[in-house]
Amino acid sequence: MIKDLNMAARHDSQEAPSDAGSIGVPDFGDNIDLMTFEQILEMDDDEEEREFSSSIVFGFFEQAENTFKSMDASLAKKDLDTLSSLGHFLKGSSATLGLTKVKDSCEKIQHYGAHKDETGNTAVPDSGVCLERIKTTMVALKRDYSEAESILRRFYHDQSN
């Protein structure tokens, strides 16, 4: 399966069916870690239906959208503690699916919300600086999420995006 996904990722504009019956993804790039995503796919009983993995992926979409709403509200309230907690929460979910860029942005939000730099190693005592960094990171997070969502919806033959 990884071979199929890797081959599909190399074809920039072609979409070819893989052995599993799914549409090959034009380019996973650095959006999705293939090894992690493959572990989720291996749990499917039926490689054509992919009921188990699709339920996890589509459940994540709903969870992410709700978390974004909470993040936006917390940003408006300047609630760094909640933003840190929400970043941590979504980081774990996105890491489970191998959504690398989403996970990385969530980790930064977690750190900024805790008054630290993006690595979590250096204190940043100015709440205004932390909020601005979160605001900037949220833009990247939503863009990266949208790209990963589009890739996964194509993989699962879902065009309701």
Side-chain angles (χ1 to χ4, degrees), residues 44-61:
D44 284 318
D45 290 330
D46 183 341
E47 289 188 0
E48 287 188 33
E49 294 297 319
R50 296 223 174 270
E51 287 181 40
F52 180 78
S53 66
S54 66
S55 70
I56 291 174
V57 168
F58 288 94
F60 172 78
F61 294 160

Side-chain angles (χ1 to χ4, degrees), residues 17-116:
S18 69
D19 290 339
S22 297
I23 292 178
V25 181
D27 185 11
F28 273 117
D30 53 359
N31 286 300
I32 301 171
D33 178 71
L34 291 173
M35 296 296 285
T36 304
F37 190 63
E38 172 66 15
Q39 291 174 356
I40 301 296
L41 294 178
E42 287 175 359
M43 294 183 216
D44 284 318
D45 290 330
D46 183 341
E47 289 188 0
E48 287 188 33
E49 294 297 319
R50 296 223 174 270
E51 287 181 40
F52 180 78
S53 66
S54 66
S55 70
I56 291 174
V57 168
F58 288 94
F60 172 78
F61 294 160
E62 185 175 327
Q63 180 185 73
E65 293 293 334
N66 289 332
T67 303
F68 291 154
K69 289 175 187 171
S70 296
M71 286 177 152
D72 289 337
S74 296
L75 190 58
K77 293 177 190 173
K78 301 180 181 183
D79 184 349
L80 288 170
D81 289 336
T82 300
L83 286 161
S84 180
S85 177
L86 291 168
H88 176 75
F89 171 72
L90 199 55
K91 176 184 76 171
S93 301
S94 56
T96 298
L97 293 175
L99 305 182
T100 311
K101 287 181 170 184
V102 172
K103 174 193 66 87
D104 291 346
S105 290
C106 289
E107 185 170 33
K108 289 178 186 177
I109 291 169
Q110 176 187 352
H111 293 317
Y112 296 147
H115 285 93
K116 299 194 181 222

Side-chain angles (χ1 to χ4, degrees), residues 139-154:
V139 171
L141 170 61
K142 289 177 180 180
R143 179 195 64 232
D144 295 337
Y145 165 78
S146 180
E147 289 174 11
E149 179 188 25
S150 179
I151 288 167
L152 291 170
R153 285 193 185 278
R154 274 197 315 267

